[in-house]
């Protein structure tokens, strides 16, 4: 099964999100959801109860199956799929152990403490050998999707991955990771560069395997001051989009649209809109009108309803989703999503109401105005 080739993929039937990313006028706002394959779905829990999280990530048939679950359940209500994997597969490929602990999230038993621990990281990583299972999952999924919607590949941005590698898991203050920036600035840059080099090769490999869009998750961007973001996050985010696109061009591959999600980094919107990404994803604390002013007409904007609204009852979901679509504006280049991943205890029917509302309301306002 997994020796399927990255060629002769079924013809794409819904390219709405690709057109919206490239700034074309579309008939309605495309929509997908960060973490759309996940614990809120009973069919996910069913698979997960017998297999560990990273076993699933490493088994192309499982990763493919989980990617398809939300597409099967919601049918035409979703306009994209995202390969089932995790941002922490890069630190694993670099030689660090990561466990997924129930009720706690990711845990690194031996995180980096000082730059001397670089000795524990692998040198000259063979990305294909370490992460080829993600490529196989992407290729298999492209075939199994039967062209229903485009498939996203993704990575975690270098600062977010560095923070996990030093904190060893989630953290309220990121005090360990941030102290590296003050104590070891040179070594911090060296680590960020090492991660970037792998990330670039990995993203190009994902496109070679069949990914039709790419998203970069800077989930901990907002923990940095504006100045520190400019020094420790932005240069690597820019290097990634630029070098990935250069390499895709060189190999004659499709130069796919790229999305940057820097959670909490509202102050960086203008810089992000000038960073060689087609789409800038917004968290829910950002007013869409403000984001449009800061980014001018340079990018499509993605987002951004507060994920907790999905706990608010169907009427509140309809009202707030409608308000969001209007706030982005009738002619805006907009891709709908939540402002962060869907939470694990959401009712799948509540998500359905969100998807339906965005599709209906956005189709109505665009029809009325054109
Ligand atoms: O559907 C999808 O979006 C694709 C799959 C996906 C997962 N993780 C699956 C997952 C994606 C795109 C990610 C990205 C990811 N992983 C991010 C960036 C997005 C964000 O949320 O900011 C981050 C920070 C991680 C690291 C990570 N992985 C954390 C912090 C956790 C635990 C948090 C939690 O919600 O408990 C994970 C675990 C994880 N990744 C799960 C899933 C479905 C749950 C694991 C389980 O079944 O126990």
């Amino acid at each position: 099964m997994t020796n399927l080739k990255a060629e002769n993929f079924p013809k794409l039937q819904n390219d709405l999100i690709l057109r919206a990313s490239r700034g074309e006028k579309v008939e309605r706002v495309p929509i997908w959801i960060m973490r759309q394959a996940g614990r809120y779905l009973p069919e996910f829990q069913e698979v997960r109860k017998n297999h560990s999280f990273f076993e699933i990530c490493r088994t192309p048939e499982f990763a493919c199956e989980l990617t398809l679950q939300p597409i099967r359940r919601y049918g035409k209500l979703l306009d994209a799929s995202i390969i089932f994997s995790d941002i922490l597969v890069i630190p694993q490929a670099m030689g660090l152990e990561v466990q997924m602990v129930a009720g706690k999230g990711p845990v690194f038993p031996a995180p980096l403490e000082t730059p001397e621990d670089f000795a524990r990281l692998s040198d000259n990583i063979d990305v294909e050998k370490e992460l080829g299972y993600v490529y196989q999952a992407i290729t298999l999924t492209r075939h199994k999707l039967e062209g229903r919607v485009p498939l996203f590949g993704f990575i975690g941005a270098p600062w977010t991955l560095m923070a996990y590698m030093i904190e060893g898991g989630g953290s309220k203050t990121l005090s360990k990771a941030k102290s590296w920036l003050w104590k070891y600035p040179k070594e911090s840059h060296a680590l960020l560069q090492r991660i970037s080099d792998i990330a670039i090769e990995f993203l190009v490999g994902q496109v070679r395997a069949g990914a039709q869009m790419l998203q970069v998750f800077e989930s901990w961007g907002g923990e940095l001051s504006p100045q520190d973001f400019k020094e420790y996050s932005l240069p690597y985010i820019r290097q990634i989009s630029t070098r990935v696109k250069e390499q895709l061009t060189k190999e004659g591959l499709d130069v796919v649209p790229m999305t940057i999600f820097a959670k909490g980094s509202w102050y960086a919107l203008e810089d992000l809109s000038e960073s060689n990404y087609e789409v800038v994803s917004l968290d829910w604390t950002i007013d869409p009108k403000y984001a449009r002013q800061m980014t001018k007409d340079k990018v499509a904007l993605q987002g951004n309803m507060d994920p907790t609204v999905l706990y608010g009852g169907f009427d509140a979901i309809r009202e707030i989703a409608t308000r969001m679509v209007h706030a982005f504006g009738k002619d805006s280049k907009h891709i709908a999503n939540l402002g962060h991943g869907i939470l694990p205890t959401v009712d799948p029917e509540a998500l359905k109401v969100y998807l339906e509302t965005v599709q209906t309301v956005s189709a109505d306002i665009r029809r009325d105005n054109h």
Side-chain angles (χ1 to χ4, degrees):
M1 234 349 176
T2 48
N3 56 11
L4 279 172
K5 291 220 168 59
E7 55 191 32
N8 301 324
F9 289 130
K11 188 173 177 305
L12 187 59
Q13 293 153 26
N14 172 354
D15 65 349
L16 203 56
I17 193 169
L18 301 180
R19 287 188 280 130
S21 303
R22 298 192 159 116
E24 294 172 29
K25 276 223 163 80
V26 283
E27 46 286 14
R28 64 169 173 78
V29 173
I31 183 163
W32 70 285
I33 301 296
M34 290 189 265
R35 297 273 181 99
Q36 70 189 18
R39 282 166 296 174
Y40 72 103
L41 291 177
E43 54 272 36
F44 171 90
Q45 301 285 5
E46 194 54 39
V47 177
R48 179 73 172 83
K49 74 178 186 220
N50 298 315
H51 304 279
S52 82
F53 176 72
F54 285 114
E55 179 195 347
I56 294 174
C57 292
R58 285 167 184 278
T59 312
E61 285 81 3
F62 282 147
C64 170
E65 167 60 23
L66 293 198
T67 304
L68 292 175
Q69 283 180 345
I71 303 300
R72 280 197 207 106
R73 177 183 277 260
Y74 296 109
K76 288 196 176 351
L77 292 173
L78 282 171
D79 296 301
S81 55
I82 180 162
I83 193 65
F84 190 86
S85 182
D86 201 80
I87 63 168
L88 300 177
V89 299
I90 288 184
Q92 286 177 330
M94 293 174 81
L96 295 182
E97 190 190 339
V98 188
Q99 299 161 354
M100 199 56 76
V101 178
K104 207 164 165 204
V107 174
F108 291 61
L112 302 177
E113 286 177 27
T114 69
E116 289 182 2
D117 292 326
F118 287 171
R120 290 198 275 117
L121 298 178
S122 323
D123 270 329
N124 299 318
I125 293 161
D126 181 340
V127 175
E128 167 99 45
K129 179 165 158 269
E130 297 298 330
L131 296 171
Y133 62 87
V134 178
Y135 302 164
Q136 289 171 16
I138 287 174
T139 303
L140 178 63
T141 306
R142 271 294 299 276
H143 285 285
K144 294 264 174 163
L145 266 169
E146 296 170 344
R148 274 176 283 187
V149 288
L151 177 63
F152 268 91
F154 68 91
I155 53 149
W159 158 245
T160 294
L161 294 184
M162 167 179 165
Y164 270 110
M165 290 163 78
I166 296 170
E167 293 292 336
S171 157
K172 278 213 161 68
T173 59
L174 294 197
S175 57
K176 291 183 187 140
K178 287 167 76 178
S179 74
W180 271 53
L181 307 180
W182 328 130
K183 282 202 259 186
Y184 318 117
K186 221 174 85 234
E187 292 83 355
S188 297
H189 276 298
L191 179 57
L192 291 164
Q193 187 58 53
R194 243 166 121 156
I195 299 169
S196 302
D197 290 340
I198 298 165
I200 289 161
E201 197 178 331
F202 187 34
L203 285 176
V204 171
Q206 293 186 50
V207 175
R208 216 180 282 128
Q212 291 152 296
M213 259 191 95
L214 298 171
Q215 179 153 319
V216 175
F217 287 94
E218 186 70 291
S219 302
W220 282 350
E223 297 302 315
L224 295 173
S225 72
Q227 193 181 333
D228 295 327
F229 186 87
K230 264 195 192 338
E231 175 159 1
Y232 291 104
S233 170
L234 189 65
Y236 300 98
I237 282 173
R238 285 184 166 164
Q239 194 188 131
I240 288 171
S241 54
T242 307
R243 287 178 53 200
V244 164
K245 288 175 183 183
E246 279 168 10
Q247 187 61 27
L248 293 176
T249 307
K250 207 164 119 195
E251 291 189 29
L253 291 161
D254 191 10
V255 183
V256 302
M258 294 181 71
T259 302
I260 175 69
F261 176 50
K263 184 171 179 290
S265 297
W266 59 273
Y267 49 76
L269 284 171
E270 187 176 356
D271 282 339
L272 291 171
S273 74
E274 295 166 348
S275 295
N276 219 355
Y277 288 81
E278 283 71 17
V279 186
V280 173
S281 195
L282 310 176
D283 67 58
W284 67 93
T285 67
I286 301 174
D287 178 348
K289 290 198 176 69
Y290 170 80
R292 187 45 80 198
Q293 272 169 14
M294 298 313 291
T295 60
K296 308 282 189 320
D297 214 23
K298 287 177 277 199
V299 287
L301 295 172
Q302 175 171 276
N304 74 340
M305 191 172 83
D306 183 337
T308 63
V309 174
L310 297 180
Y311 294 113
F314 294 176
D315 289 342
I317 295 168
R318 286 191 194 99
E319 185 188 324
I320 296 168
T322 303
R323 197 199 300 159
M324 175 195 73
V325 172
H326 285 280
F328 278 94
K330 68 176 169 58
D331 285 325
S332 182
K333 297 184 251 179
H334 179 206
I335 294 163
N337 204 307
L338 295 171
H340 197 193
I342 187 168
L343 293 162
T345 54
V346 163
D347 171 7
E349 286 303 301
L351 177 59
K352 186 165 180 222
V353 173
Y354 181 53
L355 302 175
E356 281 170 348
T357 306
V358 169
Q359 288 204 359
T360 317
V361 171
S362 68
D364 284 351
I365 58 174
R366 290 190 185 199
R367 208 170 27 242
D368 291 348
N369 282 287
H370 293 284

